[in-house]
Amino acid sequence: MGRLPFDPEKMAISKRGQVPRVDSAPERATLTVGQLAGRIDAALRSGVPSSVHVVGEVGRATHRTHWYFTLKDEDASIDAVLFSRAAARSPSTPVVGERVLVRGRVEFYAPTGRTSLIVDRLEPAGEGALQKRLRELVDRLRSEGLLDEAKKRPLPVFPRRIAVITSATGAALQDVLDTVRRRCPSIGVVQVDARVQGERAADEVRRAVLAVGENAARLRVDAILVTRGGGSMEDLWSFNDEALARAVSTCPVPVVAAIGHETDTTLIELVADVRAATPTQAAMRLTPDREALLRETISARGVLSSAIARRVAGSRAELERVTATPALRDPLAPVRLRGTRLDRASLRLRSAIREHATDGARRLDRAVRAIEAYRPPERHASEGRRIDRAEARLHAALRERLRHEHSLVGERSARLSRVVTRATGARRTRLTHATSELRAVSPERVLERGYTWTTLRDGTLVRAPGDAGPGSVLVTRTAGGDLRSRVEGGAKRGAEPEPDAPGLFGDADDASAGT
């Protein structure tokens, strides 16, 4: 526990600022205490009416068999008592802070030296002055928003230090220290000594609140507790000071106020962030319970351990599931599987290549036979001879017709000329079409497109690499002439052709059209 170096000067001044006067010359007659008490009682009986009516504000009040209370105003206070018989007939009960009108007599009780007002009737006389002042203060601060719940700040969950502003000799401080030490001794307490009762109490508490607020960061203070024990309304009136309430409302750290008892409410408690009924309750609000924290820690550790165990078990099961997969048990299995698939695909590809080559060879043979059977030059000559024969027959018929029909020579000659012209044009058109078709399927046209065919020296057509052994002389026919070459090494059978290369007669559609 630390103590803030704040020790304002303490002074005791009488309320009116007067010093009691002491006579320099004491009386020569010596009285006993009883005699003095008798004289006081006689003076009261002779100087005060037997029945008086007094208006005042109720201070302390105790309701038992008899009602004991104080009656006060701004200048003085007097003890009063309402005995049980009169209390049973009273229409009202004395309430602290209430303004009342009483009727009774003044008595001096010699055994205790106390002067009391023996009340036989009590009735309300309107609102008390102190209560009225307090209500006006509360209304004004509420209108300014100082009492709004929305402005209340939450208390720190685990404060580093708590500044306790109270009297160093009061029981409230010991209650706070004992509670903090019992609940959470790791939290530090900074004691700020200040008066909590009297005329200068409000100013000292205000200065203490301001000093702690300004030095909160340096002192590592996270909350302030302003407290004192119980007392009458007059004893607690210092905590109804407006300047003190404003200092509490502007304090940079949360403020807890625990003034008096649960039934007592002061202005500072209304402005503070949190109000507590007693100093012990305030300390409990500011400090976490060590035992509760320990229980929560143990519970959290159990929950965390269970969660970790479940996570580990789940991860272990996942690991076992993953390690049980074929890819991890035998990493080369997928490679072997894909190798097998590749071998099968290679066999299918070789088979397809052979079939394609065989089919191409058959189609080539058919094309060669078709070309050989077609013989374009002979067909051209045959057509020419047919035309010649037709022309000869035509000329002979014309000559014969001229001889017999000389008279119709003009007309018939013209008609004949037209017929001959049409017939000749048709024949020539057919010849032209036939010539174009022959040229389209002619081997020379295939060679002109960049293709070649290869034969051995004796003219045998080379259809596959195996048809020519090492040292064989090859004759390759191109569009521009023949090339001769010699085979130096053996060629592998089933060589894969380029997939996009056209056939000997162009695309498949051209080749089929040629056949």
Side-chain angles (χ1 to χ4, degrees):
M1 180 185 70
R3 177 172 294 185
L4 188 68
F6 176 77
D7 189 13
E9 180 184 3
K10 297 182 178 180
M11 299 177 63
I13 303 176
S14 63
K15 189 169 185 179
R16 297 185 180 180
Q18 298 175 352
V19 179
R21 186 178 63 183
V22 179
D23 294 336
S24 58
E27 295 181 0
R28 294 185 181 275
T30 303
L31 302 176
T32 63
V33 175
Q35 292 172 341
L36 178 60
R39 290 189 180 188
I40 294 174
D41 183 59
L44 287 175
R45 290 180 183 277
S46 61
V48 179
S50 59
S51 179
V52 293
H53 290 79
V54 181
V55 175
E57 185 177 327
V58 177
R60 297 197 252 337
T62 302
H63 299 165
R64 298 176 183 171
T65 304
H66 310 296
W67 295 349
Y68 297 94
F69 58 96
T70 59
L71 200 62
K72 61 184 179 62
D73 59 12
E74 295 180 356
D75 296 323
S77 66
I78 188 172
D79 292 336
V81 60
L82 195 66
F83 291 113
S84 60
R85 182 174 297 177
R89 298 191 307 266
S90 176
S92 302
T93 302
V95 178
V96 176
E98 184 180 17
R99 186 174 178 82
V100 295
L101 172 63
V102 300
R103 185 189 65 188
R105 66 183 184 278
V106 179
E107 288 188 358
F108 177 74
Y109 187 59
T112 59
R114 297 179 62 181
T115 301
S116 300
L117 178 62
I118 309 301
V119 179
D120 56 24
R121 182 174 178 79
L122 179 146
E123 60 185 23
E127 185 179 32
L130 294 181
Q131 287 289 351
K132 182 177 180 181
R133 286 176 55 190
L134 177 60
R135 182 175 55 79
E136 291 174 351
L137 275 175
V138 171
D139 292 341
R140 183 165 64 252
L141 296 184
R142 179 177 287 111
S143 65
E144 296 179 12
L146 271 63
L147 275 62
D148 292 347
E149 290 297 328
K151 294 184 178 181
K152 306 293 185 181
R153 293 165 295 185
L155 298 180
V157 178
F158 206 111
R160 295 170 296 179
R161 284 183 179 178
I162 301 170
V164 181
I165 300 176
T166 188
S167 173
T169 59
L173 176 62
Q174 294 304 318
D175 292 343
V176 171
L177 295 179
D178 293 342
T179 303
V180 173
R181 191 179 301 112
R182 183 183 71 255
R183 288 176 59 85
C184 192
S186 61
I187 295 178
V189 177
V190 177
Q191 177 196 345
V192 182
D193 189 12
R195 288 188 178 94
V196 291
Q197 183 174 341
E199 294 182 358
R200 300 188 60 184
D203 184 62
E204 289 191 12
V205 174
R206 180 185 62 82
R207 290 166 56 191
V209 170
L210 295 176
V212 174
E214 293 175 359
N215 298 277
R218 180 175 60 85
L219 298 174
R220 302 177 66 191
V221 170
D222 295 326
I224 296 176
L225 171 58
V226 181
T227 184
R228 64 151 288 161
S232 65
M233 187 174 185
E234 295 80 9
D235 297 336
L236 306 179
W237 187 254
S238 299
F239 295 94
N240 292 323
D241 184 75
E242 181 178 359
L244 173 58
R246 294 185 182 278
V248 170
S249 67
T250 58
C251 185
V253 295
V255 177
V256 178
I259 310 299
H261 297 293
E262 188 172 357
T263 57
D264 303 319
T265 302
T266 59
L267 184 61
I268 187 177
E269 293 175 292
L270 298 176
V271 176
D273 297 292
V274 175
R275 176 186 183 271
T278 62
T280 301
Q281 186 186 75
M284 294 178 66
R285 294 288 299 274
L286 284 168
T287 56
D289 187 1
R290 177 176 53 183
E291 299 299 330
L293 288 176
L294 181 59
R295 289 193 298 270
E296 291 179 4
T297 303
I298 294 174
S299 176
R301 182 176 62 184
V303 172
L304 183 61
S305 299
S306 300
I308 292 175
R310 288 194 300 270
R311 186 67 177 270
V312 170
S315 300
R316 183 179 292 110
E318 180 68 15
L319 179 61
E320 292 174 356
R321 186 186 64 79
V322 171
T323 55
T325 57
L328 293 179
R329 287 203 313 269
D330 187 4
L332 295 178
V335 178
R336 289 195 297 270
L337 178 61
R338 285 169 173 73
T340 302
R341 293 178 180 174
L342 182 62
D343 293 340
R344 293 175 182 173
S346 178
L347 291 175
R348 288 195 299 269
L349 181 61
R350 291 193 184 97
S351 177
I353 291 173
R354 285 195 297 270
E355 291 179 1
H356 187 72
T358 303
D359 182 66
R362 287 195 297 267
R363 292 172 61 190
L364 181 61
D365 290 340
R366 288 196 299 269
V368 171
R369 286 195 297 271
I371 293 173
E372 290 178 351
Y374 209 73
R375 296 183 181 277
E378 294 182 0
R379 188 168 182 177
H380 187 273
S382 175
E383 293 291 333
R385 287 193 296 272
R386 289 175 60 190
I387 293 173
D388 293 341
R389 287 196 296 272
E391 289 180 350
R393 287 195 301 272
L394 181 60
H395 287 300
L398 287 174
R399 286 193 297 270
E400 186 67 23
R401 189 84 175 252
L402 286 173
R403 284 194 302 269
H404 295 286
E405 298 181 1
H406 183 69
S407 60
L408 301 174
V409 67
E411 182 182 354
R412 299 287 178 86
S413 178
R415 292 175 61 188
L416 183 60
S417 296
R418 289 194 297 272
V419 170
V420 169
T421 300
R422 285 196 298 270
T424 303
R427 293 286 182 171
R428 290 190 181 278
T429 299
R430 290 177 60 192
L431 179 61
T432 301
H433 290 171
T435 302
S436 298
E437 291 178 358
L438 290 175
R439 287 179 179 176
V441 298
S442 175
E444 283 78 4
R445 292 296 301 274
V446 175
L447 296 179
E448 289 175 0
R449 290 201 298 267
Y451 290 93
T452 63
W453 71 65
T454 303
T455 62
L456 298 177
R457 183 180 295 178
D458 57 0
T460 303
L461 185 64
V462 178
R463 292 183 174 86
D467 294 343
S472 300
V473 177
L474 304 179
V475 179
T476 303
R477 185 174 182 181
T478 67
D482 295 342
L483 297 176
R484 294 180 180 274
S485 57
R486 185 181 300 276
V487 178
E488 295 183 355
K492 296 182 180 179
R493 291 182 176 272
E496 180 180 357
E498 297 182 3
D500 297 333
L504 180 61
F505 297 99
D507 296 336
D509 295 339
D510 296 341
S512 61
T515 57

